[in-house]
Amino acid sequence: MERIDLEEYGDRLRRDPHAVYAELRERGPVHRVRPPGADEDYTSWLVVGFEEARAALADPRLSKDGSKVDVRFLDEDLIGPNMLTVDPPQHTRLRGLVARAFTMRRVERLRPRVQQITDDLLDEMLPAGRADLIGSLAYPLPITVICELLGVPEIDRDEFRKLSSESVAPTDSESETAAIVGLAAYLTELIEDKRRSGPSDDLLGDLIRTTAEDGDRLSAEELRGMAFLLLVAGHETTVNLIANGVLALLTHPDQLAALRADMGLLDGAIEEMLRYDGPVQTATFRHATEPLEIGGVRIERGEHVMVGLSAAQRDGDRYAAPDRFDIRRDPRGHIAFGHGIHFCLGAPLARLEGGTAIGSLLRRAPALALDAHPDDWLPGLLMRGPRTLAVRW
C-alpha cells in the first residue's frame, strides 16, 4: 500500500484535520502514513474508520507495551510505566490499585469545589468584557482541580503548564525531551516530599499508601508514571473539551440557542462535543505483537498503529450527517475516551468539569460570542485544540 506523507498536508492538517480525515476515509479505513515531524523513513498505520477503530482499541494483539516489539519511548524510560504503556496483567494490576483511590464517589465529592472554582474564575473574568477563554477558564479550572486532587503545590502550576503542554504537543523533539526530563525530576521530588511529610488526604498520598489484599503496592517508578498520567491527562484533555465545545457552540448559533433555551440538553451537548471535535485526536501508539488484519489491511508484527479517534467519530457509516454539530443527536458509543480496557479512568471527572464550566459560562454570559476565530492550533496528532480562544460578551 502506498504510504501517505501527512507532512504534505501542511498547516491544513492542524487547522482542519476533519477535512483531511474525510479524504482518507473515502480511500479506505486504514492507511500507511508518515506522521508529521517523523523521520523520513518512519511509517505507521492510521485507522480512520469507526468500526475498525473501535475494534483496534480492544484488540489484545495491539500492545501498548513497546518493549514487546523492541520499541522504547523517552517518557517510559524517564517517567516510568503507567496504564497507557502496559498490557495485562500489569495493566490490570495498576488500574486496580489506582481505582481504589480514584473512585466515582471521590469524583462526585468534588462537584461543589468544581463549581466554586468555576464561579471564582468567572467572577474574575467577566468584568473585562472579553478574554482568552483558555487562559481565563478552560486551563485554570482543570489544572486547579487535578492539582488539588493530587496535592500539587499551587506555586508550581505555571511551570508545570509549560512542561505538560510540551510533553503532549511538542513544538520539536528537543523541547519534548527537555519537558519530559523536567517533569520526571519534578514528579520525583513531589513524591519524595509526600513521603517525607506523612499521611495526607489527597489522591497522590492515597496512591503512596494504597495496598492490595495481597500486599501489592506501586513502586517508585510506577508512582511517578501514574502521577504523570493523572496530572497531564487529568487536565490537558479537559482544557480542549471546554475550548472545542465552546467553539462548536459559538460557530453553530442555532445549537447555542437551543441549549440556552433548554439547559437540560447540556449533558447530551457535552457528549456531542466529545464526538464532534474531541480533545484527543489520535490514541497513543499501539504495536502489533503478531500479524493481523484491520479493515482488510494486513499489519505485520512490530508495526505501529495509531487509532484516529477524531477521524472515526466523523465516519458517516456510524453517524448520520457526521459533520453536523447537533446537540440533540444520540452520540452514545463515541470513542472520545477510548474503548476497552484502556477506557479513560478520568472520564467522569472530565464530564463534570466540562459540564460545569460550559453551563456556568452560558448562564452568566448571555451575549457570549467569538472575538476572533482561532488560527493557532496545537501541533501533532495527539491533542486537538486551539492555543487561544478569544471571546467577548
Side-chain angles (χ1 to χ4, degrees):
M1 179 183 285
E2 174 194 1
R3 187 183 76 159
I4 298 170
D5 189 348
L6 296 179
E7 190 81 63
E8 293 179 358
Y9 285 97
D11 202 40
R12 182 182 169 209
L13 182 60
R14 184 190 295 200
R15 291 172 180 267
D16 187 15
H18 301 293
V20 173
Y21 296 143
E23 292 176 14
L24 294 179
R25 279 195 309 274
E26 285 291 316
R27 297 161 62 177
V30 183
H31 299 276
R32 285 182 77 235
V33 300
R34 174 189 170 229
D39 293 341
E40 285 292 335
D41 58 350
Y42 181 84
T43 295
S44 177
W45 293 96
L46 176 64
V47 183
V48 295
F50 183 88
E51 292 303 330
E52 293 80 7
R54 186 176 169 88
L57 289 170
D59 194 324
R61 296 171 296 179
L62 292 175
S63 170
K64 299 305 294 287
D65 183 356
S67 67
K68 290 184 177 179
V69 293
D70 301 320
V71 172
R72 296 293 299 178
F73 291 98
L74 181 64
D75 55 345
E76 295 174 48
D77 288 334
L78 292 177
I79 300 287
N82 63 62
M83 292 182 293
L84 283 184
T85 63
V86 296
D87 301 324
Q90 190 178 6
H91 172 270
T92 310
R93 170 181 162 267
L94 288 179
R95 189 163 181 124
L97 286 167
V98 175
R100 286 171 168 270
F102 194 36
T103 61
M104 277 292 295
R105 184 178 178 184
R106 187 171 207 148
V107 170
E108 191 55 35
R109 287 205 311 266
L110 289 171
R111 186 176 295 275
R113 179 59 180 148
V114 171
Q115 185 66 63
Q116 180 187 357
I117 296 168
T118 301
D119 290 341
D120 290 346
L121 291 169
L122 290 176
D123 286 345
E124 185 176 348
M125 181 184 96
L126 291 176
R130 57 180 7 115
D132 166 24
L133 191 73
I134 294 176
S136 298
L137 179 65
Y139 173 75
L141 170 61
I143 195 65
T144 301
V145 171
I146 199 65
C147 284
E148 288 186 359
L149 183 64
L150 282 165
V152 176
E154 184 159 359
I155 196 171
D156 298 321
R157 293 179 194 175
D158 286 343
E159 180 61 22
F160 178 79
R161 180 185 185 184
K162 298 173 189 173
L163 296 176
S164 174
S165 296
E166 270 306 319
S167 71
V168 298
T171 51
D172 53 58
S173 59
E174 187 176 328
S175 298
E176 180 182 20
T177 299
I180 292 172
V181 169
L183 279 171
Y186 173 78
L187 293 171
T188 298
E189 184 177 350
L190 176 65
I191 291 166
E192 284 308 307
D193 285 346
K194 287 283 180 190
R195 288 190 191 279
R196 287 193 297 266
S197 60
S200 60
D201 60 0
D202 55 67
L203 180 57
L204 190 53
D206 280 359
L207 288 176
I208 290 171
R209 295 189 304 274
T210 291
T211 305
E213 284 86 351
D214 60 0
D216 186 22
R217 304 182 74 170
L218 295 170
S219 69
E221 292 77 18
E222 290 167 343
L223 269 171
R224 188 170 59 229
M226 292 309 305
F228 170 77
L229 179 61
L230 291 167
L231 268 170
V232 174
H235 84 276
E236 290 284 356
T237 51
T238 309
V239 173
N240 296 326
L241 164 58
I242 295 169
N244 294 353
V246 170
L247 179 61
L249 286 171
L250 296 183
T251 52
H252 295 81
D254 59 327
Q255 299 301 301
L256 175 59
L259 182 55
R260 286 194 181 282
D262 181 5
M263 290 298 285
L265 297 172
L266 180 60
D267 287 349
I270 294 295
E271 299 307 307
E272 174 66 348
M273 293 167 192
L274 287 162
R275 181 205 69 85
Y276 178 77
D277 205 4
V280 182
Q281 188 173 169
T282 304
T284 52
F285 278 108
R286 283 163 165 78
H287 316 279
T289 56
E290 60 182 88
L292 70 150
E293 276 197 4
I294 305 176
V297 174
R298 181 177 172 86
I299 312 293
E300 299 294 346
R301 183 189 184 280
E303 292 189 317
H304 313 307
V305 176
M306 299 184 295
V307 179
L309 306 181
S310 292
Q313 300 194 128
R314 297 284 189 101
D315 187 341
D317 290 339
R318 175 62 179 84
Y319 295 105
D323 293 323
R324 186 179 71 222
F325 178 62
D326 180 3
I327 65 170
R328 291 187 176 90
R329 182 197 300 274
D330 180 359
R332 279 180 298 184
H334 71 68
I335 54 174
F337 291 119
H339 174 64
I341 63 170
H342 291 286
F343 183 85
C344 178
L345 190 66
L349 179 58
R351 286 179 165 120
L352 169 61
E353 292 174 331
T356 302
I358 293 173
S360 299
L361 176 65
L362 295 183
R363 291 184 185 98
R364 295 187 58 183
L368 187 70
L370 272 183
D371 212 11
H373 282 267
D375 61 2
D376 187 10
W377 293 78
L378 295 172
L381 294 182
L382 179 60
M383 307 302 293
R384 166 68 179 164
R387 289 193 184 276
T388 60
L389 184 60
V391 294
R392 66 178 186 277
W393 51 90

